[in-house]
Amino acid sequence: MMSRACSWARAHPRSTALLAGVVLLTAWARWWPTAPLFDSPCSTVLLDRDGELLGATVAADGQWRFPQIDPVPARFATCLIQFEDRRFRRHWGIRPQSLVRAWRQNHAAGRIVSGGSTITMQVARLARGNRPRTYGEKFMEALLALRIELRHGKEETLALFAGHAPFGGNVVGLDAAAWRYFGRPASHLSWSESATLAVLPNAPSAIYPGKGHEALLAKRNRLLDRLLAVQAIDSLEWSLAKEEPLPGRTRELPRRAPHLLATLHAQGHDGQLLHSSVGGSLQDRATEAADRYAARLRANEVYNAAALIVDVPTGEVLAYVGNLGTAGARHAGDVDIIRARRSTGSVLKPFLYADMLQSGELTPDMLLSDVPTRYGNFTPRNYDEQYSGAVPASGALARSLNVPMVRLLHQHGVERTLRTLRGMGLHSIDRSAEDYGLSLVVGGAESTLWELAGAYAGMGRVLNHYGRMGLPYRQGDIRPPHVLLQKTRPSDPIAPLQGPPVLSASAIHFTLKALREVARPAEEQGWNHFAGQQHISWKTGTSFGHRDAWAIGLTSRYCIAVWTGNASGEGRPGLTGTLAAAPLLFDLFNLLPHAPPFEPPYDEMARAAICPASGYRAGIDCPRADTLWVPPTSLRTPTCAFHCRVLLDPSGQYRINEGDGHMATWFVLPPGMEHYYALGHPGYRPLPPWAPGTMGTDEPMEILYPEPGARLLIPVQLDGTRGHMVVEVAHRNADATLFWDLDGAFIGTTTGIHRMALSPPEGAHRITLTDGQGHALHRNFTIVSGANSPPATHVP
């Protein structure tokens, strides 16, 4: 066999050479390495979860060129083949007959009137940059067309043409043309619209919608006639297609999520086709709700707002309103507020509460002290400038009371709280514990709406997973939101957190319960009723100076985070989370279906006897105990010390140390807490006074400031004078007179309100207070100079 083939080759050298040339040409075309056909920049195109267009950017070269899509819609493919290359399915990328015919026509006319190019050769011409038409260039196009056919096949060749052909003006590619001329994707085009686009690449600079109307109409109709002739359409479709008008001019592309598009583009997704998790319909309705709400904000000269809706089980972003469409350039309307760092106000408090529950420092309703408090130069104040004296921990969280929460932070530790916050994905909170200090949970930190929504949704995901699967944790439950579906590379480089849960399911359960069920301040009562119906746990926050207003709501299915304010940082009266952000939060929840309540994680909870008056574990003196579910760590908390047994005289009006009388159980708060608690609770019964002539054994006074052993630094005022420290004392008897002594020297008296400004010199000091009954109270503290001394608390 081999010898016969060799003999034939020697007998037919020309045929052998031709055959070898064909083999080499085929091998070159099919397997020889080659650069990508097209490297032109593309537009960044953002689609919703159903493939509908949310928006697009113009490509770097100023063209509207969408990334190539596959496959080409059948109607457009039929129209293109019938108009440009009727034998497209039957040739190998080159049709010699057409080239010869074109050469004859050009020779006869003395100029180029026909190219004779197949669709594949047109792809080759586009890939080579539309170089001047010469016979040499035509030969190179023919070679490249052969390569394209052998490497890519017919369907991909059609896709290459549809993706890179010019369609008039600065519109390149079928999908960009469909949106620019008809306002919808190419797959939804009619026969008439497909025919209109199919004829445009033939002379894109001469005719396109808005230019050469009559010529374009004639070309389209001739193509429709051809489609009827080859039975691609029937007579009714032909008649209706001819009745359709041509588009007048290019349309504006949708701008349904402009801030998300800009952010993804800036994150390195330029030139990509981005499939997002955003629901197009929900996005439109959320944007409309925010724009309607903008009028209310503008009345208070507030011009910016943002909202994020996250699916809790998956972490997918369902709606992304980065700013108000009404803001405009004057008010930074192009800024994506969702990714901007802003003061967090009170929205970090739930994480502190949950962390202390799981660490065994709290029971859910444990009484906290809400009294005037100073930690050096930091004096936390409640929003209403009032004090409750004593408040349940759950109530302090729901009412967003600053004083008790700061006292909890001081007890728990700033460093521990920072570890929890960062473990929940709040990576923007990146300064040291010393920098934040005790202001951490009352607006001293900055984070983003993106991170906060992820942290709150993470709490819901941990609880959901526990209730659904009966397991305490799943890796990845705590992770940032994600907005791009898996077919697109992730938009956020932060990986899901690994290891044990940052917060336990039981701690999260009681935290969300407090944010859902506990009585709210009067101005939030209406929203609280709405939230209860939909099982929404929600938290508001307001930054110092009324610059930022937050509202974050969570159900088992959805997390919605809202921010309102001015991007410039200008504060406005009344810009609070309750008044300026919560209404929009609940408007957005109205757009969503109701979600079922969270399942309590009973396997991660314990039953305990709880004193209903103090919220502590019941002690031996508590008159009543309720058996309640609590986090198991709450079993480590101390028992109630607020109930005590006292001996009363036979009349029950006085306390006595010994003698005839009867024992009674009494609920007793410390003097500082009692003073403020009694003001708001007329039913509170203070301890009966001691019988005349009886010296009491309890302590009727409490020094609120300074703390025992405090080291204080007294500043110099602006006018050069030395400042003061203010000592504050509470006494059970509102009419008591206190006698003040500093280092053995009498310095004055106070009655009713017991405060005194002092400016002692550097060194150790001892203050002594004595009431009219002879009860004395002492407190040691040290005044330091600030230079070459251990850390001290700065006095305001």
Side-chain angles (χ1 to χ4, degrees):
M1 177 72 74
M2 180 65 69
S3 60
R4 293 175 61 186
C6 292
S7 299
W8 185 91
R10 285 192 296 270
H12 304 84
R14 292 183 179 180
S15 298
T16 302
L18 179 61
L19 181 61
V22 170
V23 171
L24 288 174
L25 181 62
T26 302
W28 168 81
R30 182 67 181 85
W31 293 292
W32 195 262
T34 182
L37 289 174
F38 297 95
D39 61 0
S40 301
C42 290
S43 302
T44 305
V45 180
L46 181 63
L47 306 179
D48 73 0
R49 64 187 310 112
D50 297 319
E52 295 294 325
L53 185 66
L54 293 175
T57 65
V58 70
D61 59 358
Q63 304 294 308
W64 289 104
R65 184 188 296 106
F66 286 13
Q68 181 180 324
I69 59 170
D70 296 313
V72 176
R75 287 179 177 176
F76 178 80
T78 300
C79 291
L80 179 66
I81 291 171
Q82 291 301 318
F83 184 77
E84 292 282 358
D85 187 358
R86 298 173 187 173
R87 296 176 178 82
F88 174 74
R89 302 287 183 185
R90 299 195 294 272
H91 61 62
W92 286 67
I94 307 167
R95 192 165 185 274
Q97 302 95 311
S98 297
L99 293 174
V100 171
R101 186 189 70 247
W103 178 83
R104 288 174 177 172
Q105 291 175 345
N106 295 338
H107 183 74
R111 58 186 178 88
I112 296 177
V113 295
S114 176
S117 295
T118 62
I119 290 177
T120 314
M121 290 180 67
Q122 292 184 56
V123 171
R125 178 171 173 77
L126 292 170
R128 290 178 59 78
N130 279 318
R131 300 182 185 185
R133 295 186 177 186
T134 64
Y135 290 113
E137 180 61 25
K138 183 65 71 173
F139 176 73
M140 297 302 296
E141 290 173 7
L143 288 179
L144 183 55
L146 178 61
R147 274 195 123 170
I148 292 171
E149 284 283 338
L150 290 175
R151 284 173 179 258
H152 299 283
K154 294 297 184 182
E155 298 307 321
E156 192 172 346
T157 299
L158 281 177
L160 287 169
F161 181 89
H164 299 278
F167 284 82
N170 67 339
V171 180
V172 177
L174 171 63
D175 223 35
W179 279 103
R180 291 289 281 166
Y181 295 137
F182 297 106
R184 53 182 172 273
S187 58
H188 294 178
L189 297 180
S190 66
W191 278 109
S192 174
E193 293 163 344
S194 298
T196 301
L197 295 185
V199 304
L200 293 183
N202 183 255
S205 61
I207 58 170
Y208 54 85
K211 181 179 180 181
H213 180 85
E214 296 301 325
L216 176 58
L217 181 63
K219 276 193 171 186
R220 184 204 70 175
N221 287 344
R222 284 198 298 272
L223 176 54
L224 291 174
D225 292 342
R226 172 67 187 173
L227 295 176
L228 177 64
V230 299
Q231 298 182 352
I233 57 177
D234 58 32
S235 58
L236 178 59
E237 290 174 314
W238 170 80
S239 176
L240 293 175
K242 281 200 167 184
E243 293 296 322
E244 291 186 28
L246 295 176
R249 57 177 62 86
T250 57
R251 300 168 181 245
E252 292 292 328
L253 290 182
R255 286 177 50 83
R256 301 165 70 187
H259 301 94
L260 174 58
L261 175 61
T263 293
L264 292 173
H265 186 274
Q267 287 180 343
H269 295 282
D270 52 302
Q272 297 182 28
L273 184 65
L274 304 174
H275 298 265
S276 77
S277 59
V278 171
S281 174
L282 179 61
Q283 175 71 19
D284 294 340
R285 288 182 290 146
T287 301
E288 291 169 3
D291 286 341
R292 283 196 307 269
Y293 190 68
R296 176 173 174 175
L297 294 175
R298 284 197 306 272
N300 191 31
E301 298 183 22
V302 176
Y303 299 100
N304 303 99
L308 191 66
I309 303 178
V310 177
D311 182 81
V312 168
T314 65
E316 293 178 349
V317 173
L318 303 180
Y320 190 109
V321 182
N323 209 327
L324 293 176
T326 58
R330 181 180 177 185
H331 300 291
D334 290 334
V335 173
D336 184 0
I337 300 291
I338 288 176
R339 305 300 181 113
R341 292 190 182 193
R342 306 292 304 197
S343 171
T344 53
S346 297
V347 295
L348 302 182
K349 291 175 181 174
F351 303 105
L352 171 62
Y353 177 83
D355 201 17
M356 294 189 71
L357 282 176
Q358 76 169 4
S359 63
E361 298 171 83
L362 282 180
T363 63
D365 299 318
M366 179 182 286
L367 279 184
L368 304 179
S369 178
D370 182 20
V371 298
T373 301
R374 293 186 183 87
Y375 295 106
N377 65 339
F378 181 54
T379 305
R381 299 184 186 277
N382 296 324
Y383 177 75
D384 59 3
E385 298 287 340
Q386 303 296 315
Y387 300 98
S388 302
V391 61
S394 57
L397 175 63
R399 294 168 57 193
S400 200
L401 298 177
N402 291 334
V403 173
M405 298 307 292
V406 168
R407 294 175 70 97
L408 285 181
L409 178 60
H410 182 257
Q411 172 188 338
H412 187 62
V414 177
E415 188 63 54
R416 290 175 67 189
T417 306
L418 280 175
R419 286 198 296 269
T420 298
L421 295 175
R422 290 163 184 163
M424 293 299 296
L426 300 174
H427 301 283
S428 294
I429 304 177
D430 53 8
R431 305 201 309 271
S432 67
E434 291 75 17
D435 281 345
Y436 288 118
L438 295 176
S439 68
L440 175 65
V441 296
V442 290
E446 291 184 338
S447 188
T448 67
L449 202 67
W450 179 261
E451 289 183 348
L452 287 166
Y456 274 77
M459 286 198 294
R461 199 173 301 118
V462 170
L463 201 52
N464 264 344
H465 183 65
Y466 193 105
R468 185 175 63 254
M469 304 294 293
L471 299 174
Y473 181 66
R474 177 177 58 185
Q475 286 188 341
D477 276 344
I478 306 300
R479 60 178 181 268
H482 60 94
V483 72
L484 296 182
L485 299 178
Q486 291 183 355
K487 62 182 71 176
T488 312
R489 61 186 174 90
S491 64
D492 201 312
I494 301 174
L497 303 176
Q498 304 297 320
V502 180
L503 296 173
S504 65
S506 61
I508 292 172
H509 166 76
F510 286 103
T511 300
L512 298 185
K513 181 180 179 182
L515 296 176
R516 182 175 62 252
E517 297 180 357
V518 175
R520 298 279 183 154
E523 62 271 17
E524 295 187 357
Q525 287 301 313
W527 301 126
N528 196 40
H529 177 71
F530 177 92
Q533 290 182 327
Q534 293 204 30
H535 311 292
I536 302 170
S537 300
W538 58 291
K539 183 76 184 73
T540 60
T542 306
S543 68
F544 177 77
H546 297 271
R547 294 180 175 90
D548 306 272
W550 303 84
I552 304 178
L554 179 66
T555 68
S556 62
R557 182 64 191 275
Y558 304 105
C559 177
I560 302 179
V562 172
W563 175 92
T564 63
N566 287 311
S568 64
E570 177 188 357
R572 295 297 305 165
L575 183 63
T576 67
T578 300
L579 298 178
L584 179 56
L585 174 77
F586 292 112
D587 282 349
L588 295 175
F589 266 115
N590 265 330
L591 304 178
L592 301 170
H594 290 197
F598 288 106
E599 292 287 339
Y602 289 115
D603 290 345
E604 199 179 294
M605 295 160 64
R607 302 279 279 181
I610 300 296
C611 172
S614 68
Y616 280 72
R617 290 193 303 121
I620 59 174
D621 292 329
C622 294
R624 200 186 69 163
D626 295 335
T627 302
L628 304 175
W629 287 107
V630 296
T633 50
S634 292
L635 299 179
R636 303 201 301 260
T637 59
T639 57
C640 175
F642 295 99
H643 283 101
C644 62
R645 294 175 65 81
V646 297
L647 180 61
L648 302 179
D649 70 355
S651 69
Q653 298 180 9
Y654 297 100
R655 283 182 288 163
I656 56 177
N657 287 326
E658 57 185 9
D660 294 335
H662 63 276
M663 299 297 296
T665 299
W666 217 273
F667 179 69
V668 183
L669 294 171
M673 296 172 68
E674 179 181 277
H675 172 74
Y676 292 95
Y677 185 82
L679 295 176
H681 296 80
Y684 176 77
R685 296 189 305 152
L687 277 170
W690 289 98
T694 302
M695 186 64 181
T697 57
D698 61 336
E699 183 57 67
M701 292 182 288
E702 180 183 2
I703 296 179
L704 303 178
Y705 182 83
E707 294 182 306
R711 299 178 58 83
L712 307 175
L713 176 64
I714 297 180
V716 176
Q717 305 298 319
L718 294 177
D719 60 2
T721 61
R722 197 163 185 268
H724 297 81
M725 60 175 287
V726 178
V727 179
E728 185 163 1
V729 182
H731 197 286
R732 291 193 188 277
N733 184 354
D735 299 323
T737 297
L738 299 186
F739 301 88
W740 295 64
D741 180 290
L742 180 63
D743 299 328
F746 176 73
I747 57 175
T749 62
T750 56
T751 302
I753 297 176
H754 305 291
R755 295 192 190 101
M756 186 171 290
L758 306 177
S759 186
E762 295 175 21
H765 299 278
R766 179 181 177 89
I767 191 167
T768 301
L769 299 110
T770 308
D771 65 7
Q773 302 300 316
H775 298 102
L777 190 62
H778 309 279
R779 181 63 48 89
N780 295 323
F781 62 93
T782 302
I783 302 297
V784 299
S785 65
N788 302 318
S789 62
T793 301
H794 184 81
V795 175

